[in-house]
Structure formats: C-alpha cells, structure tokens
Amino acid sequence: MAERGSKTAPNIPVLPTEVHRQIVEDVGMPSYPSQYLVPQTQRQDLCNMCLVNNYFHSISTEVLHARVHITPRNINSFVQRVKKLGMAGSPKVKFLAFVDFAFFPEWELEFIITILQELPTETVTHILFDMPLRSIYRVPNPNDNPESAVLRMTQALNQFANVKEFISVRDEAHLLGWTTGPVLWPYWPKIERVALYNPEILEEAFIEAIVQSKSLRLMCCLNPRLAGGIETDDDFAELIDQVEPELCFLFLDAENMGDEETDGDYFPIAKEEFHSEPLLRYAIEQPDRITLVDVEEITDELDKRSPIARPTDWFFKLAISGRLWEVGRFGISTATAKRYLQMEGEVVEGEDGSALT
C-alpha cells in the first residue's frame, strides 16, 4: 500500500489502437476534402506526434505522406526516398501535386517519371499538375523510341487506375494540333472530376474524350476556347447531348484578369462568346448542368486578402486549397442570363410564357 502523501501514477485507461489512429487522422484532416496539402500548423502537430513513440510515428507519417507536394526544390530528396524504399515501401500517396514546374531540364523530367513509376498506383486518387504538361505528355506514336521520356511518362501516368480527380492549372493537357488522340484523363476509368485551363471544348477529340469517360460527373473549364465561337444551339448541343446525362459543366471566364490578353500562346474565351446566345440559353434551360461564372465578379468573395494577377494563379490557389469545386455556387443567375440575352436583342420568355422586352 502506498504511503500517505506519496505520489502514484494515475490510472489512465489504455485506448484502442483504432482510437489513436482516428485522433492522428483528425489532427491531419484539412479544411476541405479535396485539399492537396495539410496546412502548416497541422503539419507541425503531426511532426510532434511522430516523437511520441514508434506507433504514433508510423500513423503520423502515413497521414503526412497522404498529401504530397512535389516542387523543384524538394523533388531530388523525394526521388531518393522512393528509389530507396521501392514501390512496396514508398509513401501511400493519395493526393499528388506537382507544383511550380515552369521548364523541364532533362534531369527534372526523369525525376518526375521516376516518382510516377515508383509510387504505389492503387492509392493515388487525386492528381494536380502545375506545369506545361503539353510539352511532355502526348498519345504514343508508333515511331516513338520505347525508351523516350514521352512514352515512359505516358505509361507511368496511365497506370494510376483509381484517379478520381485531375486538375491541370497551366494548360489543358489536350494536345490538339500537335498529335491526334484522346487527352490524359480518359485512360482513368474512375475519373469523376476534371478541371482544365483553356481547352477547346468543341473539338472532336475533346468531345470524344468526355464521351469515353462514363464516370465523369463534373467538367470545369477556365477560359475555354470555342474553336471559332458557338454560332448556333446545335454546335453546343454536339457537346452536351453526346455525354452522360449526369455530367455537369462549370465554365469560368477570367479573360480580363491580369495580363491574360497578352498571354501569347492562349486564346481565351471572349466575353461576347461566353455570353453568347446558345451558352446563355443552356444556362437558363438546364441550370443543373450548365453553370457560367464571371470570375472578376467573384474574386473578392473568394479571397479578400490579396488580388490575384493571373487567371492561372487564381485557378491554382483555389485548386490546391480544395475550394475550386465551390465556385459553381457563384454562377450567374437565370435572371442575369435572361438580361444578357435581352441586351443582345433576343426574345426571352418570362415565367408565364410571355415575351420579355
């Protein structure tokens, strides 16, 4: 029996390991489900939990590695880690983001290919590219060298069969005019959401690609190109009517943000095309499927701290934080769409079927 006044260890119940795991996972849980990086304060908490014991170190490391940012600064160390561990021991990454890659020296491209080849393919469900993907990815050509970087990159990306979300914030990852064939994401059978910058949405290959993607439910396009403009309802119907009825489109117009007008390689959607009759009529008649958003009108609501100079910067910031998919709630209203049509001299019916003037 302990002597009176002596200190004894408190009788603390031992928690099941499942509870410990849930605690660690809750600490690392980001604010948005599609967030690609755990915030700094939470990362620090997870790092501190790594020091508790081997069990907490194992769980905390797993949570930290679930969302990975690969940048030109850390790619070398990450490559060395995955090469050392091999596919069986490599981090079980779920959210994979390649960020700030502006140009591709040969060694950097080889590092990216190595990472894609060595990571366990079954765990990756979300991929984000902030890089000129068009310069490295394309549909393989029969004349390609089997050892070429392009072919190995293609094969490495196509093996991620469980990808549900793909975002390319720098370009459309759609290689029209250079090589013929489908875009990247139709090779992923479980893909549900795709966000692209500057795609030509009426090109035959683009339409074919989304028709092939039976699981695709949301296509988000920033500054989509209309391949000469949508002249009639039939032009846009070619895109809408061929795809799965559950697929919705979110079209974002940021033409006048920053220096977009002088961004030489890109030809963003013109305001008059974005507010063209067919697009507006579809937004009125099928508001559950077609959402139009004027980015200039909503930037302050999404980020009151600092203005974003370029559309791609704004796109990246929302994508990496997991907030991109909320933008649809800022779509122009049916009343606004009708007002735009009236400004163009179009006859628009009111709710009672009478013509509005």
Side-chain angles (χ1 to χ4, degrees):
M1 187 177 206
E3 294 181 6
R4 181 177 296 180
S6 65
K7 295 183 179 180
T8 60
N11 185 20
I12 300 177
V14 178
L15 297 175
T17 55
E18 294 80 5
V19 176
H20 288 155
R21 172 175 286 276
Q22 188 61 54
I23 291 172
V24 176
E25 291 179 349
D26 288 346
V27 169
M29 184 67 66
S31 302
Y32 297 88
S34 287
Q35 194 165 333
Y36 279 78
L37 187 65
V38 177
Q40 178 61 39
T41 54
Q42 290 169 260
R43 291 205 304 273
Q44 186 60 53
D45 290 339
L46 289 170
C47 289
N48 291 335
M49 296 181 94
C50 288
L51 304 176
V52 175
N53 56 38
N54 289 337
Y55 180 70
F56 271 89
H57 180 276
S58 176
I59 304 176
S60 301
T61 302
E62 182 180 323
V63 174
L64 282 167
H65 285 164
R67 300 169 192 265
V68 171
H69 258 200
I70 308 296
T71 70
R73 296 180 116 186
N74 70 10
I75 190 170
N76 185 33
S77 60
F78 195 83
V79 165
Q80 300 309 316
R81 177 177 176 80
V82 297
K83 288 176 68 175
K84 179 181 178 181
L85 297 174
M87 184 174 291
S90 290
K92 303 300 189 290
V93 178
K94 296 179 181 179
F95 289 71
L96 179 60
F98 290 90
V99 179
D100 290 334
F101 289 89
F103 304 99
F104 284 106
E106 184 176 351
W107 65 268
E108 201 168 77
L109 179 54
E110 289 298 327
F111 278 176
I112 292 174
I113 294 173
T114 298
I115 291 172
L116 295 174
Q117 290 175 334
E118 296 294 338
L119 285 178
T121 59
E122 69 277 2
T123 62
V124 178
T125 57
H126 294 64
I127 296 179
L128 183 147
F129 281 122
D130 176 25
M131 63 172 74
L133 195 59
R134 283 179 295 190
S135 65
I136 54 175
Y137 179 87
R138 65 179 174 85
V139 177
N141 186 295
N143 298 322
D144 283 339
N145 181 339
E147 299 301 319
S148 69
V150 167
L151 193 58
R152 287 183 293 118
M153 179 77 166
T154 297
Q155 293 169 343
L157 284 168
N158 289 342
Q159 67 183 341
F160 292 96
N162 292 324
V163 172
K164 296 181 179 180
E165 176 180 297
F166 172 64
I167 300 175
S168 177
V169 301
R170 191 79 63 85
D171 61 46
E172 75 275 22
H174 192 50
L175 310 174
L176 299 175
W178 185 31
T179 57
T180 302
V183 295
L184 184 66
W185 35 271
Y187 291 110
W188 294 325
K190 297 182 181 180
I191 192 72
E192 297 176 0
R193 300 193 298 199
V194 173
L196 305 175
Y197 174 66
N198 211 218
E200 292 190 6
I201 61 174
L202 296 183
E203 288 285 353
E204 182 178 350
F206 183 87
I207 296 173
E208 179 184 349
I210 59 176
V211 169
Q212 291 176 1
S213 301
K214 302 301 182 182
S215 61
L216 189 60
R217 293 296 176 263
L218 179 58
M219 167 62 69
C220 174
C221 301
L222 175 65
N223 286 352
R225 289 174 286 175
L226 303 183
I230 296 178
E231 300 297 337
T232 67
D233 288 353
D234 291 339
D235 292 333
F236 194 58
E238 181 181 3
L239 173 63
I240 299 300
D241 295 342
Q242 291 188 46
V243 302
E244 295 293 313
E246 297 85 1
L247 175 59
C248 299
F249 292 86
L250 175 59
F251 295 130
L252 312 177
D253 173 34
E255 178 199 4
N256 296 322
M257 288 181 70
D259 58 352
E260 180 69 7
E261 294 181 358
T262 61
D263 207 2
D265 292 337
Y266 302 127
F267 303 93
I269 189 170
K271 268 279 195 284
E272 57 269 21
E273 290 180 352
F274 190 78
H275 292 157
S276 64
E277 177 188 350
L279 276 180
L280 290 170
R281 288 197 181 277
Y282 265 92
I284 294 170
E285 296 169 4
Q286 300 189 38
D288 293 336
R289 293 194 67 193
I290 310 297
T291 302
L292 308 181
V293 177
D294 189 336
V295 172
E296 289 184 287
E297 299 294 327
I298 67 170
T299 303
D300 288 342
E301 295 186 58
L302 291 173
D303 189 348
K304 299 180 182 298
R305 291 172 296 178
S306 61
I308 304 298
R310 294 168 57 86
T312 48
D313 295 337
W314 175 84
F315 201 36
F316 168 77
K317 188 171 185 179
L318 285 188
I320 207 74
S321 68
R323 295 183 297 159
L324 177 62
W325 310 109
E326 293 186 347
V327 176
R329 64 191 176 95
F330 296 105
I332 65 172
S333 65
T334 299
T336 300
K338 289 181 177 180
R339 187 170 70 251
Y340 283 136
L341 282 179
Q342 293 168 27
M343 292 170 61
E344 296 297 324
E346 300 293 336
V347 177
V348 183
E349 291 186 353
E351 294 183 1
D352 59 356
S354 59
L356 299 177
T357 57

